[in-house]
Amino acid sequence: MPANETAPPVKKKGRRARLIVLVLVLALFAGLGYGAYWGVDSVRASFPQTTGSLKVPGLTGTVDVKRDAHGIPQLYADNDDDLFRAQGFVHAQDRFWEMDVRRHMTSGRLSEMFGSGQVETDAFLRTLGWRQVAQTEYDKKLSDETKKNLQAYADGVNAYLKGKSGKDLSVEHAALKLSDDYQPEQWSPVDSVAWLKAMAWDLRGNMQDEIDRALMSTKLSQAQIDELYPPYPFDRNKPIVEGGKVEGGKYVPQASGGSGSTGSGSAPAIGSQASTGTGTATGLADNATAQGATVGLRTQLTSLAKTLDEIPAILGPNGSGIGSNSWVISGRYTTTGKPLLANDPHLSPQLPSVWYQMGLHCRTVSPQCQYDVAGYTFSGMPGVVIGHNAEIAWGMTNLGADVTDLYLEQVKPEGYVYDNKVVPFTTRDEVIKVAGGASKKMTVRITNNGPLVSDRSDELGTVGSRAPVAGSAPDRGNGYAVALRWTALEPGKSMDAVFKLDKAKDFKSFREAAADFEVPSQNLIYADNKNLNGNIGYQAPGRIPVRGAGDGRMPAPGWDSKYAWKTGKDGNVEYIPQNELPFDSNPSRGYIVTANQAVVESGTGAGKYPYLLTTDWGYGARSQRINDLIEAKIKDSGKISTDDMRAMQMDNSSEIAALLTPMLAKIDVSDPDVRSAQKLLDGWNYTQEPDSAAAAYFNAVWRNILKLAFGDKMPKELRIEGSCMNVRADSRGPADELAEVVRECGTRGPDSAQPDGGDRWFEVVRRLVKDEKSPWWSSPKKGFTQPATATRDELFARAMHDARWELTAKLGKDQSTWSWGRLHQLTLKNQTIGTEGPGFMQWLLNRGPWNLGGGEATVNATGWNASSGYGVTWVPSMRMVVNLNDLDKSRWINLTGASGHAYNGNYTDQTTMWAKGELLDWPFGKDAVDKATVDTLTLKP
């Protein structure tokens, strides 16, 4: 087992104090004699029963739970109600701690479990009102069938909970109960629905970019900001869908599908609908006004950004990290003669993995028992989210549609200003219960643009006297508040879509299911086993607003109705019609790739999509690499196998290394130690294998290029917390003379600090390297050894020097011992306690590190934030390859294992295989499942 690693110290004092109590309890468990007995007993007591039989109230017939050697269950029942009741029971057996923490998070009730350190987080989540929206969805939006399934699932969870508490549920619950007499409550259907809100939050789109651009405006000109957010390179990286159009109220894909060329011409001009846009487009002032702004909006947005950093990210850090790969190959180009479909969502590494592998099978499919499906589920929610049934397979990647907008609001005691009138707030009172402390009361204030997220704490009660907005803005008074408009705060039917996907039989029913997948907006790929070679397809679903003025790139003036989301005659928000969202079916090129690149090219004119989906796509580094790998394989052999798909998932090639390494090799280096490191790059093929010294050195150089060229020019609100530097007293740039300097330290958390090094920064640097004297290449002198730089090559030389000595400090002077994996490590951390608890608790619950290959914007997307270090911050959270010719020959792997119980044999039993790029057999048919089964549990009425 890999060695454990202690995480950074906890920042939240109230929560830390409570966790120390838990550690003392567990320390008693680990004592001698009676304590030792209870230590072992407490660990084992929660392990699930996997053989024999158990009675589950409410079942009408028996359900067989067949587990393979990795603890992955396949459930067999005779009706839907029994099937989902059993799913709830089995999820709770393996993952109830995860489920319990998650439901407290989604309802803003973490303080009930962990004390006063979570009050601010709960206040923010209560302000968003996820739980209220989920309740409304359940009451008014979801179908009767969906509600029946949700209730059956909840009944199964509660059947498991009956008579259990503390150590019977998990070692974490044992510690909570003994330290504070914590008793889990009954599961409800709304607990499951609320999970989709957390999923939508982590996949919400460009909200972080919107905040970052606004904060940049306090220090950078609009032209500089535009350089840091270049338009998508349509001339180089293909969008998902090519050549389609909206016609007669419907999206019509290109009939021929094209031959692989983009056919898009050059990138759209700055200022067009599909371009990066400008600050003035959203109502923010020009840079002169922004430069003169005081701490008002800057403080407001900084505090909001800090709050976002502290919200528990169930799926991962929002920003460059949230992504995924998926692609599907027509049977014309596969060795099997039927489609192959691959998917690997890139999410936050956590223990246990966010995914839970499972099969849901009706012994006989009928109107009373409709499901025969297997794949990846979410603990706490019924159904299969990604996977396949007997006839179709599907995968998902984040579409990245812009579905969030921040609005500045002029507030008065009696309400907020809208079109020169004062409108009363809609309010909601909330009470936050705090374990070991007094309850906290709060009032949520809501405008027509959404809840005031700036009301989350006293710190954000007011803003400064000035804010970067146009001169026509209303009287600032005590400042502006900030409201959040987000599609997920409107009740929807995404839970219906999950069950419809599980039952879909063809592309038509698949698209009908996708129409209900309103939030989060995902790229859905499709394959089936019909016809000679099967069919492949793509659908962009989602509730995506049609904006008025502005493009969603900067906070908008909430007092002006022309910036509001458009509404129809019925007063409801106008979304892009589902029939007009892009899709594709059996393109002639024979494959479809989605990896967070642009879906289509938006704009006016021939061949352009008429609606703005977002301006903040991923920049296509991964997607184009996958396209190139597929095309090369087809050209070479004409056919692609399951093993080829797996090999593509593990591709470690670095696009930015291929661009910069030839330039770095030409730099004249005088320092012999730096020159020795430079020679590591000779003959390197730009692949980031874990044992590669060249990859270690290049990534260190890349990190230092970013720091010198961009990081040191960022406002402190975007720089990594604790990074301090001397700047001019007017805060407009690095200091040149000691007489003019002040000390300024960064405040941003490690997951969202900039520059993060993602493929947006690839594109920034790709454009700038053509200008050897760009102002971005200037960097002040450092001490007596590092002279100021004014050109690209001077800055590159300094970055090579800094990288050499950084790696000497981290890995030693002997370059023969360097490797990328020693820098680029993954540590899996148990939810909540394992993340923020003291060292002993982390040692008990966490696992790792693992040395990994891959990197930022590679297909094997083991992401890292260049501002904060080389540690892995997001990963392919699972990998699957579905073989539509023989479903029993499909392959899959999870990041961790089926079990959420520390020291269970299935806690992290898949992780080492995952790290090596290995896949497990994925049995589906009854014979294959029976052959793989090692434990059978029968659930009885």
Side-chain angles (χ1 to χ4, degrees):
M1 178 181 296
N4 284 307
E5 177 179 279
T6 301
V10 178
K11 298 176 184 176
K12 299 179 181 178
K13 293 182 180 179
R15 183 169 181 176
R16 183 182 179 93
R18 179 168 169 75
L19 291 177
I20 288 174
V21 174
L22 305 185
V23 167
L24 293 175
V25 171
L26 289 182
L28 291 175
F29 284 166
L32 298 175
Y34 186 73
Y37 166 77
W38 278 104
V40 173
D41 180 64
S42 294
V43 169
R44 292 179 175 174
S46 58
F47 288 6
Q49 178 179 335
T50 58
T51 61
S53 63
L54 286 171
K55 289 186 177 181
V56 176
L59 288 178
T60 60
T62 61
V63 179
D64 291 324
V65 182
K66 300 183 178 184
R67 294 178 183 261
D68 66 10
H70 294 280
I72 300 170
Q74 305 278 348
L75 278 54
Y76 289 84
D78 292 319
N79 60 71
D80 294 344
D81 190 82
D82 284 355
L83 190 61
F84 293 115
R85 191 177 300 262
Q87 185 181 20
F89 187 92
V90 172
H91 272 167
Q93 278 189 307
D94 280 331
R95 299 284 192 92
F96 186 70
W97 170 254
E98 175 191 14
M99 294 164 62
D100 203 15
V101 170
R102 182 177 296 156
R103 67 164 162 181
H104 279 79
M105 192 274 280
T106 57
S107 57
R109 296 170 52 209
L110 287 169
S111 301
E112 294 180 21
M113 296 183 79
F114 303 110
S116 60
Q118 289 301 302
V119 167
E120 187 173 334
T121 296
D122 283 344
F124 186 80
L125 294 169
R126 296 285 185 99
T127 298
L128 294 181
W130 292 352
R131 179 73 185 194
Q132 285 79 8
V133 178
Q135 186 70 58
T136 303
E137 287 184 356
Y138 184 78
D139 292 340
K140 298 182 178 180
K141 290 288 186 177
L142 300 180
S143 70
D144 290 341
E145 181 179 341
T146 293
K147 289 195 282 189
K148 182 181 178 183
N149 294 342
L150 286 164
Q151 186 62 61
Y153 181 91
D155 291 344
V157 175
N158 293 329
Y160 177 75
L161 293 179
K162 188 175 182 180
K164 294 184 178 68
S165 64
K167 68 178 183 180
D168 298 323
L169 295 172
S170 71
V171 68
E172 298 94 331
H173 279 108
L176 275 180
K177 182 173 178 60
L178 289 176
S179 65
D180 200 42
D181 198 29
Y182 174 78
Q183 179 66 39
E185 64 191 36
Q186 294 280 288
W187 194 266
S188 80
V190 181
D191 291 333
S192 297
V193 179
W195 156 242
L196 287 173
K197 299 302 165 189
M199 180 181 174
W201 176 253
D202 284 347
L203 301 174
R204 61 191 177 272
N206 76 337
M207 182 175 169
Q208 192 69 60
D209 288 325
E210 192 174 335
I211 293 171
D212 288 355
R213 282 189 287 259
L215 291 171
M216 285 179 187
S217 70
T218 66
K219 191 168 184 177
L220 303 176
S221 71
Q222 188 60 53
Q224 289 173 312
I225 294 172
D226 285 344
E227 283 187 297
L228 300 185
Y229 288 88
Y232 184 88
F234 286 99
D235 57 335
R236 192 177 68 255
N237 294 343
K238 301 173 187 175
I240 297 172
V241 177
E242 304 170 64
K245 60 183 177 180
V246 174
E247 188 174 76
K250 293 183 178 180
Y251 186 84
V252 181
Q254 183 175 347
S256 65
S259 58
S261 63
T262 63
S264 59
S266 60
I270 298 295
S272 72
Q273 185 187 28
S275 75
T276 60
T278 64
T280 53
T282 62
L284 291 180
D286 60 22
N287 192 61
T289 304
Q291 292 282 10
T294 58
V295 294
L297 183 64
R298 182 176 182 173
T299 300
Q300 188 88 319
L301 293 175
T302 300
S303 297
L304 177 58
K306 189 173 186 295
T307 299
L308 299 182
D309 276 344
E310 293 176 353
I311 300 301
I314 287 182
L315 298 182
N318 190 266
S320 71
I322 288 289
S324 301
N325 300 323
S326 70
W327 65 94
V328 59
I329 314 290
S330 167
R332 299 192 340 253
Y333 295 120
T334 67
T335 57
T336 67
K338 286 291 197 306
L340 295 172
L341 184 150
N343 195 191
D344 54 283
H346 307 155
L347 305 172
S348 175
Q350 52 189 275
L351 182 60
S353 165
V354 70
W355 300 109
Y356 184 99
Q357 296 148 291
M358 179 179 272
L360 300 174
H361 306 278
C362 290
R363 294 188 180 100
T364 302
V365 176
S366 68
Q368 290 73 40
C369 201
Q370 306 172 73
Y371 297 87
D372 188 18
V373 60
Y376 294 86
T377 70
F378 288 137
S379 302
M381 199 179 90
V384 169
V385 178
I386 294 175
H388 70 80
N389 58 35
E391 297 179 73
I392 77 162
W394 68 94
M396 298 184 190
T397 63
N398 196 27
L399 191 151
D402 186 358
V403 296
T404 58
D405 279 337
L406 295 174
Y407 284 90
L408 305 180
E409 302 285 0
Q410 187 195 28
V411 300
K412 296 181 177 296
E414 65 273 24
Y416 60 96
V417 175
Y418 190 69
D419 283 348
N420 299 315
K421 296 180 181 179
V422 178
V423 181
F425 291 108
T426 299
T427 61
R428 184 178 72 245
D429 293 327
E430 298 275 359
V431 177
I432 299 173
K433 296 179 181 179
V434 182
S439 296
K440 177 182 175 63
K441 295 182 180 180
M442 60 175 287
T443 299
V444 178
R445 297 190 295 172
I446 304 168
T447 74
N448 61 344
N449 290 315
L452 291 184
V453 290
S454 54
D455 278 354
R456 68 172 184 87
S457 70
D458 293 339
E459 180 185 9
L460 294 179
T462 60
V463 296
S465 60
R466 296 171 66 188
V469 293
S472 60
D475 177 27
R476 291 172 173 84
N478 290 327
Y480 297 123
V482 179
L484 171 65
R485 193 74 188 264
W486 180 33
T487 55
L489 298 184
E490 296 293 328
K493 299 185 292 183
S494 293
M495 196 68 237
D496 283 347
V498 173
F499 296 112
K500 288 183 178 180
L501 282 173
D502 288 354
K503 296 185 295 183
K505 301 300 181 185
D506 51 31
F507 194 49
K508 180 177 181 294
S509 53
F510 171 81
R511 292 189 65 209
E512 290 171 351
D516 286 338
F517 208 104
E518 297 168 330
V519 291
S521 186
Q522 298 289 285
N523 295 308
L524 296 177
I525 61 167
Y526 166 93
D528 67 36
N529 52 18
K530 304 176 188 302
N531 306 326
L532 178 62
N533 297 125
N535 299 290
I536 64 173
Y538 164 82
Q539 177 67 56
R543 184 189 285 166
I544 304 170
V546 178
R547 287 176 173 80
D551 57 12
R553 287 176 49 79
M554 290 276 210
W559 50 80
D560 190 339
S561 61
K562 72 180 181 181
Y563 289 92
W565 290 0
K566 289 186 176 181
T567 57
K569 294 180 180 179
D570 58 1
N572 293 323
V573 173
E574 188 177 324
Y575 300 107
I576 299 175
Q578 287 290 320
N579 283 339
E580 298 183 24
L581 286 171
F583 76 96
D584 209 350
S585 178
N586 292 326
S588 63
R589 65 182 175 274
Y591 62 89
I592 300 170
V593 175
T594 86
N596 318 114
Q597 78 272 41
V599 174
V600 291
E601 186 172 3
S602 298
T604 57
K608 303 291 182 68
Y609 186 66
Y611 296 103
L612 180 64
L613 299 177
T614 186
T615 62
D616 290 309
W617 305 110
Y619 280 77
R622 282 180 289 108
S623 63
Q624 193 56 45
R625 175 63 176 172
I626 296 168
N627 274 298
D628 292 344
L629 290 170
I630 292 171
E631 290 178 1
K633 190 66 181 178
I634 291 174
K635 183 177 180 180
D636 178 53
S637 66
K639 299 292 182 181
I640 294 173
S641 68
T642 301
D643 283 342
D644 292 330
M645 301 284 275
R646 184 203 62 80
M648 291 176 192
Q649 288 179 323
M650 295 302 296
D651 182 79
N652 287 328
S653 178
S654 169
E655 179 188 86
I656 195 63
L659 174 69
L660 295 185
T661 298
M663 299 180 190
L664 297 173
K666 296 177 182 178
I667 301 293
D668 185 14
V669 176
S670 58
D671 187 317
D673 289 314
V674 178
R675 188 165 61 250
S676 175
Q678 181 185 36
K679 289 181 179 179
L680 290 172
L681 303 178
D682 292 346
W684 181 43
N685 63 356
Y686 319 129
T687 60
Q688 301 169 105
E689 300 299 330
D691 61 353
S692 171
Y697 182 60
F698 173 79
N699 281 311
V701 174
W702 170 237
R703 181 180 183 228
N704 281 278
I705 288 173
L706 291 169
K707 178 181 183 296
L708 294 169
F710 310 106
D712 291 347
K713 300 178 180 69
M714 292 285 162
K716 69 180 187 296
E717 293 84 3
L718 271 68
R719 298 203 313 270
I720 184 73
E721 184 177 8
S723 64
C724 300
M725 57 184 292
N726 294 330
V727 300
R728 292 183 186 139
D730 63 4
S731 297
R732 291 184 182 176
D736 292 324
E737 300 178 15
L738 293 177
E740 299 178 321
V741 304
V742 294
R743 194 68 171 164
E744 183 184 82
C745 296
T747 62
R748 183 60 69 84
D751 286 342
S752 59
Q754 293 295 332
D756 60 24
D759 67 353
R760 172 166 67 88
W761 293 100
F762 290 14
E763 191 64 22
V764 169
V765 171
R766 181 187 297 279
R767 289 166 176 257
L768 288 177
V769 290
K770 300 172 185 177
D771 181 0
E772 296 185 22
K773 297 183 178 181
S774 166
W776 292 107
W777 303 130
S778 66
S779 182
K781 65 182 180 180
K782 181 179 179 182
F784 298 102
T785 60
Q786 293 301 301
T789 68
T791 68
R792 179 196 68 195
D793 287 355
E794 289 174 351
L795 186 139
F796 281 11
R798 182 165 162 185
M800 293 170 70
H801 176 279
D802 291 352
R804 166 53 164 152
W805 297 113
E806 180 188 2
L807 294 196
T808 297
K810 291 180 181 296
L811 302 179
K813 189 172 182 179
D814 184 357
Q815 293 172 188
S816 68
T817 67
W818 290 4
S819 71
W820 175 225
R822 286 180 62 199
L823 283 176
H824 192 53
Q825 293 186 326
L826 168 69
T827 299
L828 293 171
K829 298 182 180 182
N830 179 277
Q831 244 187 353
T832 309
I833 293 179
T835 301
E836 298 190 5
F840 173 78
M841 187 74 80
Q842 295 178 27
W843 175 85
L844 181 71
L845 298 174
N846 297 347
R847 299 292 181 270
W850 283 264
N851 296 347
L852 299 185
E856 193 74 24
T858 62
V859 182
N860 181 23
T862 56
W864 54 285
N865 186 306
S867 287
S868 57
Y870 304 97
V872 176
T873 58
W874 48 278
V875 295
S877 56
M878 61 80 157
R879 298 186 185 100
M880 74 176 194
V881 178
V882 181
N883 181 338
L884 273 297
N885 182 61
D886 186 345
L887 293 170
D888 290 329
K889 292 183 179 178
S890 300
R891 310 295 300 280
W892 61 353
I893 198 77
N894 204 352
L895 173 64
T896 61
S899 179
H901 300 290
Y903 297 100
N904 183 283
N906 301 131
Y907 192 48
T908 55
D909 60 323
Q910 298 185 50
T911 307
T912 298
M913 291 179 287
W914 170 92
K916 295 178 179 178
E918 297 173 359
L919 298 174
L920 298 173
D921 291 336
W922 180 355
F924 179 72
K926 188 176 184 304
D927 290 344
V929 169
D930 287 344
K931 184 177 180 180
T933 296
V934 297
D935 286 334
T936 299
L937 173 68
T938 301
L939 304 179
K940 297 182 177 180

